[in-house]
Amino acid sequence: MKVVVIGGTGLIGSQLVGKLNENGHDAVAASPNTGVNTLTGEGLAQVLEGASVVVDVSNSPSFEDEAVMDFFRTSTANLLKAETDAGVQHHVALSVVGTERLQDSGYFRAKQVQEELIKASGTPYSIVHATQFFEFMKGIADSATDGDTVRLAPGKIQPIYSGDVAAAVGRTAVGTPVNGVVEVAGPDAFLLDEFIRTGLAATNDPRAVVTDAHATYWGVQLEETTLLPGPGAHIAETRFTDWLAQQQ
């Protein structure tokens, strides 16, 4: 089947396109780099011609509240309309475990709007909620850094390797629409501060990680289980410690 991957040249998208093509599907990477722009609609009609499935793994270039809301609202609306016009049979979107619990953050409010637009569109859909990727470890640390100190709350997190996310999204894309949410997470749960402390130490980052129960996560006060998946989540195989060892 033809699968169009919006954001197909990024971290998840490039791996997803490769996996789908390896399995005999016609996966097409669509992004501004390939002449497809979901904000303006440029190239959408052409790339969706003959597509059975559209997978949206794109992300906003800006995390500023107004910009990120505009990105997800506009790009999702444009994409869904173009899919209806093209007769696409399955819309798949990648989102984040805990999105509905992180609404004090402008980014996650925008992701929630994206999900609501998909659910209301009438197109059969599947939304994949993934936990944070191993690869985002440094970004999480940077967001919580003050000088040489990283302040993080001891909420729990169950991070996942990006390749395992791409595999889960690929399985979902070629399956039957669930018209709901499926969750995927890594095999091990950590305290957030422990996760970052371990990662920074392994990469010889000199910053000190301080446990601070009042520290926020992208502007959100965390409860213990805010970032954890539910009991029905698919659990991936790659362990953080093994992934770290391969980065040396």
Side-chain angles (χ1 to χ4, degrees):
M1 67 176 71
K2 180 178 177 181
V3 182
V4 175
V5 180
I6 306 297
T9 58
L11 174 65
I12 299 298
S14 57
Q15 295 181 78
L16 175 59
V17 168
K19 290 176 186 294
L20 288 169
N21 284 329
E22 286 170 9
N23 287 315
H25 300 287
D26 176 19
V28 179
S31 71
N33 292 338
T34 68
V36 179
N37 190 321
T38 54
L39 279 177
T40 65
E42 177 190 1
L44 272 179
Q46 294 84 350
V47 78
L48 294 185
E49 188 174 344
S52 299
V53 182
V54 170
V55 182
D56 186 4
V57 294
S58 63
N59 209 352
S60 173
S62 169
F63 281 16
E64 187 274 325
D65 283 5
E66 187 173 338
V68 72
M69 180 63 78
D70 180 66
F71 175 85
F72 282 114
R73 180 180 281 135
T74 303
S75 63
T76 303
N78 287 342
L79 185 55
L80 290 167
K81 181 182 183 304
E83 289 173 17
T84 298
D85 293 343
V88 170
Q89 301 162 17
H90 188 187
H91 179 98
V92 180
L94 177 60
S95 194
V96 187
V97 163
T99 289
E100 70 282 4
R101 300 187 291 272
L102 295 163
Q103 293 298 293
D104 286 341
S105 159
Y107 179 83
F108 291 103
R109 286 195 298 272
K111 290 297 288 183
Q112 188 70 30
V113 166
Q114 177 193 27
E115 294 187 25
E116 290 168 358
L117 286 170
I118 292 166
K119 292 173 182 177
S121 69
T123 299
Y125 72 92
S126 303
I127 297 172
V128 179
H129 273 190
T131 52
Q132 289 290 358
F133 311 158
F134 296 163
E135 290 87 348
F136 288 173
M137 170 193 69
K138 185 177 183 299
I140 293 171
D142 291 349
S143 74
T145 295
D146 180 11
D148 295 325
T149 301
V150 184
R151 296 189 178 279
L152 292 165
K156 291 183 177 178
I157 191 169
Q158 202 163 325
I160 187 170
Y161 167 49
S162 66
D164 290 336
V165 176
V169 174
R171 286 192 303 271
T172 303
V174 300
T176 302
V178 300
N179 293 315
V181 173
V182 294
E183 290 189 321
V184 59
D188 301 310
F190 303 85
L191 295 178
L192 178 60
D193 53 325
E194 171 197 4
F195 167 57
I196 300 301
R197 187 178 292 112
T198 300
L200 294 185
T203 55
N204 298 313
D205 190 309
R207 286 177 288 180
V209 177
V210 173
T211 305
D212 181 352
H214 300 291
T216 59
Y217 177 83
W218 303 111
V220 179
Q221 192 76 49
L222 293 180
E223 302 293 336
E224 182 181 21
T225 60
T226 301
L227 304 177
L228 291 182
H234 172 80
I235 303 301
E237 294 184 357
T238 308
R239 296 188 179 281
F240 182 52
T241 51
D242 294 338
W243 178 82
L244 277 176
Q246 294 171 0
Q247 309 308 304
Q248 306 302 314

